[in-house]
Amino acid sequence: MNKNRVLKKINSKNIVIGVVGLGYVGLPLAVEKAKAGYDVVGFDIQQKRVDMVNNGENYIGDVVDEELYNLVKEGKINATTDYIEIERVDAVAICVPTPLDQYHQPDTRYVESSTRDIAKYLHKGMLVVLESTTYPGTTEEIVKPILEETGLKCGKDFFLAFSPERVDPGNKVYNTKNTPKVVGGVTPQCTEVAAALYNNVLDNHVYTVSSPAVAEMEKILENTFRNINIALANEMAILCNKMGIDVWEVIDAAKTKPYGFMAFYPGPGLGGHCIPIDPFYLTWKAREYDYHTRLIELAGEINNSMPEFVVDRLMKILNKYKKALNGSKILLLGVAYKKDIDDLRKSPALKIIEILNKEGAEVIYNDPYIEEFEYKNKTYRSEHLSDDLLQQADAVLITTDHSLYDYDDIANKSKVVFDTRNATKDINLSNIYKL
């Protein structure tokens, strides 16, 4: 295998790139690689996704509809469920889910399955990059042995690296193309080849590290950092509530310090595909080294307890109006896990709905981005946000602070508003309660 020949093909855009998994990570990555001039083949087990891509139909918020449509029309992107297409691919990125099982242990089945599908068609000179967030050691302990079962040797016959995804759905500033990239290869040559590809695709810096394990660990550190600091903000919110202090005003004051402080904010709980899950990869791996990650697990406990805290607060607020939670109509505004996106994964609103139902409340919701969803074998549909709906609700619970909402109008027409996101910070009405 001639490394320089591979680098020449990468730099001349004379390679075909595969992307396995066309979700929130994979599809934006496929689009950016095609925009950079490469021919891209997307792989997904969902026929619906494949059909939509091949029709130029976008289903991911961070992808521009017109860009995808034009790239498909130009023949730069096509999608398939058939892994035989790996035969004509020179580099492939694995962007599949890495969830937790019922015991909060990493579920690597999707990574293993995708790797085995790739291994069937692995050929000399091929680059394989794992982008799925996972525990340190996955690339070398799971992916590498599967690929080497073919008889080809990593660093000699093919290149293998880990480069963690850094996707933040709905972020208006940073996206796949302009976010710095970290790359760690199994060998220095693997790192060089993988970095060369990303340098040809992305606008920002590609930072190389000494191994896949370092790259895997830094990704876990990123999200664990956020998890722990959000837990601190949530614990401050609980304490400030008991002390009669506005936690949002406290944070605004603290962030005036130009050094030594970074603002994190409380909320109804954590959601999304990363922060609620990724730290548990590390707590699981740490047991192998006889170490208990106390701070990480405590942060998880605090964040996971927030939906219970929100419902308890709501119950006490209703008591002030001589209303029981049992039988009250509660209108949730926003069920997506963060503002201005249509992503429901691990949303704290789901747990809040579950608790409210158990307490006997009548739960309805409105979300301009999510028309309907199913949870615990029950289908929920977004209600039209009318004056009558606001006035009929015994309490309005702001669980996601979408920008489309007119919070002045909502506050003025509602009996009670419990705001868990500080969306009503500039509104001074006695019927508004904050987290």
Side-chain angles (χ1 to χ4, degrees):
M1 178 181 63
N2 189 312
K3 179 198 70 176
N4 292 330
R5 186 184 305 162
V6 175
L7 289 172
K8 185 177 180 180
K9 289 179 68 176
I10 289 173
N11 291 330
S12 65
K13 313 288 177 74
N14 191 28
I15 65 169
V16 177
I17 299 177
V19 176
V20 178
L22 296 174
Y24 285 85
V25 176
L27 187 59
L29 183 64
V31 167
E32 291 305 330
K33 288 180 174 180
K35 284 167 61 180
Y38 294 101
D39 290 334
V40 179
V41 181
F43 298 85
D44 203 284
I45 59 174
Q46 296 184 39
Q47 187 64 52
K48 182 180 178 181
R49 280 185 177 178
V50 167
D51 292 341
M52 289 184 73
V53 169
N54 288 334
N55 289 327
E57 298 174 19
N58 181 35
Y59 49 87
I60 299 295
D62 289 347
V63 172
V64 178
D65 295 358
E66 187 178 358
E67 286 184 349
L68 176 61
Y69 179 81
N70 289 336
L71 289 168
V72 171
K73 189 176 180 181
E74 294 165 10
K76 300 302 292 182
I77 291 182
N78 71 86
T80 182
T81 59
D82 191 350
Y83 276 81
I84 196 172
E85 293 292 313
I86 291 288
E87 284 184 330
R88 67 186 186 92
V89 165
D90 302 290
V92 60
I94 301 173
C95 307
V96 296
T98 46
L100 298 172
D101 65 17
Q102 59 181 327
Y103 304 109
H104 274 186
Q105 298 181 128
D107 181 353
T108 59
R109 287 177 299 167
Y110 298 108
V111 170
E112 293 175 38
S113 173
S114 298
T115 304
R116 292 194 184 281
D117 285 331
I118 291 168
K120 295 174 187 176
Y121 308 102
L122 186 70
H123 50 79
K124 287 189 176 183
M126 190 170 177
L127 167 65
V128 179
V129 181
L130 178 62
E131 289 220 3
S132 305
T133 304
T134 185
Y135 62 86
T138 303
T139 304
E140 292 171 282
E141 295 169 10
I142 292 180
V143 178
K144 180 174 175 281
I146 292 174
L147 295 178
E148 288 190 332
E149 287 175 4
T150 62
L152 299 177
K153 296 300 178 183
C154 180
K156 179 182 177 183
D157 300 310
F158 67 91
F159 304 100
L160 176 62
F162 181 81
S163 183
E165 56 88 0
R166 282 174 163 174
V167 174
D168 185 17
N171 193 314
K172 304 301 183 186
V173 178
Y174 290 104
N175 51 46
T176 299
K177 190 171 182 63
N178 67 2
T179 300
K181 203 83 165 79
V182 172
V183 176
V186 175
T187 68
Q189 286 190 332
C190 292
T191 302
E192 186 180 356
V193 170
L197 177 58
Y198 287 111
N199 271 316
N200 274 281
V201 172
L202 307 178
D203 282 344
N204 216 315
H205 179 59
V206 176
Y207 185 87
T208 60
V209 294
S210 60
S211 69
V214 171
E216 289 160 341
M217 181 64 96
E218 81 78 19
K219 172 62 176 180
I220 298 294
L221 174 59
E222 289 177 27
N223 288 339
T224 301
F225 173 82
R226 293 174 67 189
N227 185 58
I228 288 172
N229 281 281
I230 291 169
L232 174 61
N234 281 331
E235 190 161 60
M236 288 293 291
I238 294 169
L239 181 58
C240 282
N241 174 62
K242 291 181 179 293
M243 298 176 69
I245 298 171
D246 185 341
V247 68
W248 305 98
E249 186 178 359
V250 170
I251 295 170
D252 283 345
K255 71 181 184 182
T256 62
K257 186 178 181 181
Y259 56 89
F261 182 82
M262 180 182 293
F264 286 82
Y265 298 95
L270 285 182
H273 64 297
C274 287
I275 302 178
I277 297 173
D278 296 354
F280 287 103
Y281 299 152
L282 195 56
T283 63
W284 175 82
K285 188 66 176 178
R287 296 183 200 127
E288 184 180 319
Y289 298 89
D290 195 28
Y291 186 79
H292 182 58
T293 53
R294 291 163 292 172
L295 181 60
I296 295 172
E297 293 182 41
L298 180 58
E301 288 178 22
I302 293 170
N303 290 330
N304 290 339
S305 72
M306 289 307 290
E308 291 275 4
F309 175 73
V310 166
V311 174
D312 184 65
R313 278 286 315 278
L314 179 61
M315 191 180 303
K316 291 174 179 176
I317 292 167
L318 286 170
N319 281 345
K320 293 182 179 181
Y321 295 83
K322 303 187 186 305
K323 290 285 295 183
L325 181 58
N326 190 337
S328 289
K329 179 180 282 190
I330 309 300
L331 169 62
L332 270 69
L333 293 186
V335 292
Y337 83 85
K338 63 183 290 190
K339 67 188 294 185
D340 302 340
I341 65 171
D342 62 355
D343 196 342
L344 195 63
R345 288 176 296 173
K346 300 288 182 183
S347 173
L350 299 176
K351 187 64 178 178
I352 290 171
I353 288 171
E354 181 181 345
I355 300 169
L356 288 171
N357 282 329
K358 286 181 180 178
E359 294 294 337
E362 179 187 347
V363 183
I364 55 176
Y365 88 94
N366 169 271
D367 192 309
Y369 296 92
I370 300 174
E371 292 183 4
E372 69 174 41
F373 65 92
E374 187 173 317
Y375 183 66
K376 299 287 183 179
N377 298 317
K378 183 176 179 180
T379 299
Y380 297 84
R381 291 181 176 82
S382 180
E383 303 280 346
H384 174 62
L385 191 57
S386 63
D387 291 354
D388 285 344
L389 188 70
L390 291 169
Q391 291 161 5
Q392 289 168 11
D394 293 298
V396 173
L397 179 61
I398 300 174
T399 39
T400 311
D401 51 335
H402 291 311
S403 301
L404 291 175
Y405 288 134
D406 183 340
Y407 293 104
D408 275 300
D409 189 60
I410 289 166
N412 278 290
K413 291 174 180 174
S414 302
K415 297 171 186 172
V416 175
V417 175
F418 181 21
D419 180 5
T420 69
R421 300 285 192 176
N422 203 29
T424 59
K425 62 181 178 180
D426 298 321
I427 305 171
N428 186 24
L429 291 174
S430 61
N431 65 330
I432 296 176
Y433 298 83
K434 295 182 182 178
L435 189 66

